Amino acid sequence: ALRSRTSGSNNNDSMEQEYIITVFSENKVGLLSQITTVFTCRNVNIESLTTSESALAGIHKFTIVVRTDPEKIEKLARQVEKRIDVLKVFVFTSDEVVQQEIALYKVTRSRNVEQLVRRHNVRILEIDDVVVVEKTGYKSETRELFELLQPYGVQQFVRSGTVAIVKSRRELLNEYLEELARNDRKLS
């Protein structure tokens, strides 16, 4: 069964909120396109999307951030889970995960920039006539630093997508896979 919680939601189901969708799959060509098509067909914009290997060998993880309502998120998750190479889909609210992103900034070098960078605990990656710095944090923190650096000439700025790990002690994918294995043994 699909696992989705909409904690903190009130009786107004039409109210949009941020959801983090975690999709576990095999690493197959074309799956990303299939997944994003589900969102396009339902007219839901993907705010952030990252993919990577998971902790389990051979299983990849998509982390997708969207803003939508509780009813639509359930439908989206069910549609994504119907894809052949998708193993399992989980839906979380922001308070159920630890999430971060990385941002890189290329800024004209100056004493003010160097002082600002030191105050915000960022990593300096390269210094020449420009400074390239890295900030890891919440989207609001990376955005705030961008705004503070703007007056000093930000030449380039890029943010990664959100990466997220569930706060719960339970490992939901492992539990799901164990349940599948138990059911397979019962059928054998």
Side-chain angles (χ1 to χ4, degrees):
L2 182 68
R3 187 231 162 255
S4 175
R5 287 190 287 169
T6 54
S7 63
S9 64
N10 56 24
N11 292 337
N12 184 3
D13 283 351
S14 66
M15 197 163 138
E16 284 193 355
Q17 69 180 70
E18 184 177 84
Y19 291 97
I20 295 86
I21 302 167
T22 303
V23 179
F24 290 95
S25 72
E26 298 178 38
N27 188 19
K28 298 289 184 174
V29 173
L31 184 58
L32 177 59
S33 176
Q34 291 177 39
I35 290 171
T36 57
T37 298
V38 171
F39 291 86
T40 303
C41 290
R42 298 217 178 264
N43 201 31
V44 173
N45 187 47
I46 295 174
E47 300 286 328
S48 170
L49 184 146
T50 59
T51 64
S52 69
E53 297 173 344
S54 74
L56 300 174
I59 297 177
H60 277 64
K61 178 181 179 179
F62 293 72
T63 303
I64 305 167
V65 179
V66 298
R67 289 196 67 78
T68 191
D69 60 73
E71 183 179 309
K72 202 176 258 188
I73 196 68
E74 292 293 333
K75 289 177 183 174
L76 279 166
R78 282 193 302 271
Q79 288 297 312
V80 170
E81 200 164 64
K82 287 180 182 178
R83 305 291 152 230
I84 255 182
D85 296 315
V86 170
L87 300 172
K88 192 68 182 153
V89 174
F90 300 101
V91 176
F92 302 99
T93 56
S94 296
D95 61 334
E96 295 175 297
V97 297
V98 174
Q99 57 184 314
Q100 295 282 280
E101 66 177 31
I102 297 171
L104 298 177
Y105 312 78
K106 183 177 177 183
V107 187
T108 305
R109 185 177 179 184
S110 74
R111 185 174 303 274
N112 290 339
V113 167
E114 290 175 18
Q115 290 172 351
L116 187 62
V117 161
R118 285 186 178 84
R119 278 198 313 266
H120 284 83
N121 297 320
V122 300
R123 246 178 92 198
I124 300 172
L125 301 178
E126 190 167 318
I127 297 180
D128 200 4
D129 57 334
V130 294
V131 180
V132 177
V133 295
E134 171 192 308
K135 169 79 175 162
T136 302
Y138 295 106
K139 183 178 180 178
S140 60
E141 295 170 334
T142 60
R143 187 75 197 159
E144 177 188 3
L145 182 58
F146 173 76
E147 290 168 6
L148 292 171
L149 289 170
Q150 267 305 87
Y152 305 107
V154 176
Q155 296 172 15
Q156 291 182 39
F157 170 67
V158 64
R159 283 195 320 248
S160 69
T162 299
V163 291
I165 293 181
V166 180
K167 290 179 181 178
S168 168
R169 291 186 187 269
R170 296 174 53 208
E171 185 52 60
L172 300 173
L173 181 62
N174 287 344
E175 289 177 12
Y176 172 74
L177 294 174
E178 288 168 5
E179 181 183 326
L180 281 180
R182 279 192 302 274
N183 290 341
D184 284 347
R185 284 191 297 270
K186 286 179 187 176
L187 294 174
S188 299

